[in-house]
Amino acid sequence: MLLSDRVLFLDGEALVIDKPAGLPVDAPRDGSLSLENHLDSLRFGFKRWPLAVHRLDRDTSGCLLLARNPKAHGRFTRAFEDREIDKQYLAIVDGVPDTDSGTIDLPLNKVSTAEDGWRMVGDPKGKPSISHWEKLAVMDGRSLLRFRPETGRTHQIRVHAREGLGFALVGDPVYGRGSTKTRTLLHAERLVVKRDVKPSIIAEAPFPDSFAALGFAAPEGAAPTRG
């Protein structure tokens, strides 16, 4: 797998790749492959390796922003912290919401038990977490949804789908009916980063094959399915 073949945007300070599902951004404890193993191939003439600005879950595919120098990394990191990044995700949920769109305002907190490990839960005392969503298509009792998260909490969309809508993401082993052998169907579809002088970074990742395999087609105006 060559990540250099999955570049969605590239200039002197930024790189956006279409991260494959199954590739962790951070190196796992078991020593298996992660984004770090591919960074050398993403230098594109620069001496430094690019640095990931944010995180996507191992299962989540799509737009991942990397900075090509430390100064840009600091600027992009602050933009994420200040909620200045426009993000769109596609998800398939196990069910059909009654309405066509809405906003989920559900603060999230981290809990941990010896039996189940850690997870995020809705908690009025948690960190503010807001997601806007719309229903795009329905197939065989499942729905294709588009999420526009305002905040970037860990597992935000996964928990908002389960607790806010009542339907977990298909394949989710923590919040849904998935297992270690299934993939959580979440895809970072679009990323827009506004910059002061340079043109905005705009990246769109192709519609995933795993979504198409369940009978869903790329939404109107979306990038086509990756071949």
Side-chain angles (χ1 to χ4, degrees):
M1 175 183 61
L2 290 174
L3 291 193
S4 55
D5 292 339
R6 302 176 71 97
V7 172
L8 304 172
F9 181 93
L10 177 66
D11 72 5
E13 64 178 22
L15 166 67
V16 182
I17 61 167
D18 177 15
K19 186 188 87 65
L23 181 71
V25 173
D26 295 317
R29 291 177 182 171
D30 62 9
S32 56
L33 291 177
S34 69
L35 176 68
E36 188 174 287
N37 299 96
H38 296 271
L39 292 178
D40 195 57
S41 69
L42 298 174
R43 289 186 297 122
F44 296 110
F46 280 29
K47 290 183 179 179
R48 286 192 180 97
W49 285 359
L51 294 169
V53 177
H54 58 122
R55 299 289 178 265
L56 294 176
D57 290 346
R58 179 196 289 252
D59 280 357
T60 304
S61 57
C63 297
L64 179 71
L65 174 65
L66 297 95
R68 303 190 72 197
N69 63 67
K71 194 173 179 181
H73 186 269
R75 247 189 4 263
F76 296 152
T77 299
R78 286 191 296 275
F80 269 91
E81 291 171 351
D82 294 340
R83 304 186 192 179
E84 294 172 354
I85 311 293
D86 179 29
K87 300 167 287 183
Q88 285 183 191
Y89 289 78
L90 294 175
I92 298 178
V93 298
D94 255 326
V96 182
D98 293 335
T99 54
D100 290 336
S101 62
T103 294
I104 300 163
D105 186 347
L106 179 68
L108 298 179
N109 224 338
K110 188 176 184 177
V111 298
S112 182
T113 64
E115 303 81 35
D116 301 324
W118 69 271
R119 64 173 59 203
M120 304 299 290
V121 297
D123 181 350
K125 298 177 182 176
K127 292 182 178 179
S129 307
I130 299 170
S131 302
H132 308 286
W133 66 275
E134 59 179 318
K135 184 166 60 182
L136 302 176
V138 175
M139 182 75 62
D140 298 329
R142 297 177 176 132
S143 304
L144 175 65
L145 307 181
R146 176 177 282 137
F147 283 90
R148 291 185 175 90
E150 275 190 30
T151 48
R153 307 299 177 205
T154 301
H155 294 181
Q156 176 172 321
I157 292 173
R158 295 165 66 184
V159 181
H160 277 186
R162 180 67 187 92
E163 295 191 28
L165 295 177
F167 304 110
L169 270 57
V170 171
D172 193 328
V174 177
Y175 306 101
R177 297 181 294 185
S179 69
T180 54
K181 297 178 181 178
T182 60
R183 179 207 156 184
T184 305
L185 294 186
L186 182 61
H187 177 64
E189 173 192 32
R190 193 169 193 266
L191 183 73
V192 178
V193 185
K194 292 178 181 175
R195 298 185 285 188
D196 291 336
V197 180
K198 294 188 177 185
S200 296
I201 298 166
I202 301 175
E204 293 187 351
F207 193 69
D209 291 340
S210 54
F211 284 42
L214 291 181
F216 291 97
E220 191 173 335
T225 305
R226 175 174 286 283

